[in-house]
Amino acid sequence: MQPEYSNTPDDESRAFANHQLASAQTLVTITIIASPVSLVIGGLPLGIVALICGIVALSKIRAAIEKLSEPSAIANNLKRQAIIGISVSIVSIVLNAISIIIILPAFIEFLQSGDITKLTEAMNFSSASTSSGSNSVWD
């Protein structure tokens, strides 16, 4: 004989909450990793992805906390991590947007003229003079 399991509404809501927390944990991990990486190499798109993952994770955590009668320490820790990840991703998005705004005019001028000195000055690189005396990339 097989044992009978009772699927009470409390068991179902706890299973739903656990599933939501597991999914949110993955999203929080993505947010925590992608936010700082977007400052270094990812740029604006990776920062936006990190922000979206953080917001979705926070909404899943809140839904799980509502289903549980007593929020667990894991849910509270995940909520705190999601808020920190969202904050870091907002900072990285703002810093990446500022760098794009600063460098974009010099980059467009570089593409039109081929003179790399303006671009390196905008990016605060040292002297970009070439040995032949010409500053054009296209020569």
Side-chain angles (χ1 to χ4, degrees), residues 81-113:
Q81 289 175 358
I83 291 171
I84 290 170
I86 289 171
S87 303
V88 172
S89 64
I90 288 172
V91 169
S92 70
I93 288 170
V94 168
L95 292 176
N96 282 323
I98 289 171
S99 67
I100 287 173
I101 290 170
I102 290 172
I103 294 175
L104 190 62
F107 185 72
I108 291 173
E109 184 178 335
F110 159 69
L111 288 177
Q112 291 174 347
S113 68

Side-chain angles (χ1 to χ4, degrees), residues 4 13 27 29 53 56-57 60 64 66 84 91 96 101 104 106 112 118 122 126 139:
E4 292 184 21
S13 65
L27 292 170
T29 303
C53 286
V56 171
K60 285 183 177 240
E66 288 176 4
I84 290 170
V91 169
N96 282 323
I101 290 170
L104 190 62
Q112 291 174 347
K118 298 284 184 185
S126 61
D139 290 340

Side-chain angles (χ1 to χ4, degrees), residues 19-79:
H19 177 70
Q20 291 291 88
L21 288 176
S23 175
Q25 185 176 15
T26 303
L27 292 170
V28 167
T29 303
I30 292 169
T31 301
I32 289 173
I33 292 172
S35 297
V37 169
S38 72
L39 282 174
V40 180
I41 58 172
L44 202 57
L46 188 58
I48 292 170
V49 167
L51 179 63
I52 291 170
C53 286
I55 291 171
V56 171
L58 190 60
S59 68
K60 285 183 177 240
I61 293 166
R62 286 184 179 160
I65 288 175
E66 288 176 4
K67 291 286 184 183
L68 296 172
S69 58
E70 295 178 13
S72 64
I74 294 172
N76 290 330
N77 287 340
L78 279 176
K79 184 177 179 182

